Amino acid sequence: MNTGEFHIALDEKGRLLMPARIRNELRGSSVVVTRAVDRCLWVFSPDEWREFSAKLMNASSPFSRRGRLLQRRIIAPAQEVELDRTGRLNIPKSLQESANLIKECTLLVMERYMEIWDAGAYQAYESESETELQEAAEELGGLVSF
């Protein structure tokens, strides 16, 4: 997957028409959709999901309260979803509700996975996290050079 930010609408049947650039990479295939840590959804290719979920399962124990929380909130709700022949992704109702997806959505593509946000929630997140972004960029200043 590439990178990008896209503004797309959820139709009345809970489907998102993926942008052409993303559709071309995913056509005829499936993806895994699950809850994210923030109030959005994560979307992985099946291979990326297997790698990610294995790492998460290995790093968290069912004997740990926090481990069980992560497994229940991220691993358990994951669903493999086929893209239809027109490139639409049918978001399961339970996942739509967990991310509060109603109509307008923001799709963020970050090489190995994607995020689907309610557009208003993402705008609010950007505003609320501006100071933290500046701090994070400052911390990376010594690590990353051009």
Side-chain angles (χ1 to χ4, degrees):
M1 289 184 226
N2 294 307
T3 61
E5 180 176 324
F6 305 91
H7 303 281
I8 53 181
L10 188 71
D11 72 15
E12 64 281 348
K13 294 183 180 178
R15 300 174 300 193
L16 288 174
L17 178 61
M18 300 303 278
R21 193 174 89 209
I22 305 305
R23 226 177 17 241
N24 291 336
E25 290 185 35
L26 298 175
R27 182 163 293 151
S29 63
S30 62
V31 294
V32 177
V33 182
T34 194
R35 290 181 187 161
V37 174
D38 295 308
R39 190 158 184 128
C40 65
L41 300 177
W42 281 335
V43 181
F44 295 89
S45 70
D47 290 340
E48 288 290 344
W49 173 251
R50 279 189 288 280
E51 183 180 332
F52 175 82
S53 62
K55 286 179 182 178
L56 181 57
M57 290 300 292
N58 288 332
S60 60
S61 168
F63 295 104
S64 158
R65 185 175 53 84
R66 286 185 171 179
R68 289 190 308 274
L69 176 65
L70 289 170
Q71 292 171 12
R72 290 172 182 157
R73 291 290 189 90
I74 297 171
I75 303 291
Q79 296 186 43
E80 190 163 351
V81 179
E82 296 281 333
L83 270 74
D84 69 16
R85 52 190 164 88
T86 61
R88 292 177 300 194
L89 183 63
N90 189 2
I91 308 293
K93 190 73 169 164
S94 61
L95 293 173
Q96 287 177 45
E97 291 170 357
S98 72
N100 199 32
L101 302 180
I102 298 168
K103 181 70 176 165
E104 298 303 318
C105 297
T106 300
L107 174 69
L108 303 173
V109 183
M110 295 167 279
E111 293 189 14
R112 298 177 73 178
Y113 72 101
M114 296 181 276
E115 291 182 346
I116 301 171
W117 288 77
D118 168 77
Y122 185 66
Q123 287 175 337
Y125 169 80
E126 282 188 305
S127 295
E128 293 165 3
S129 63
E130 187 62 32
T131 300
E132 190 175 355
L133 172 64
Q134 297 301 320
E135 293 169 357
E138 189 68 31
E139 288 175 19
L140 283 178
L143 300 175
V144 178
S145 61
F146 291 97

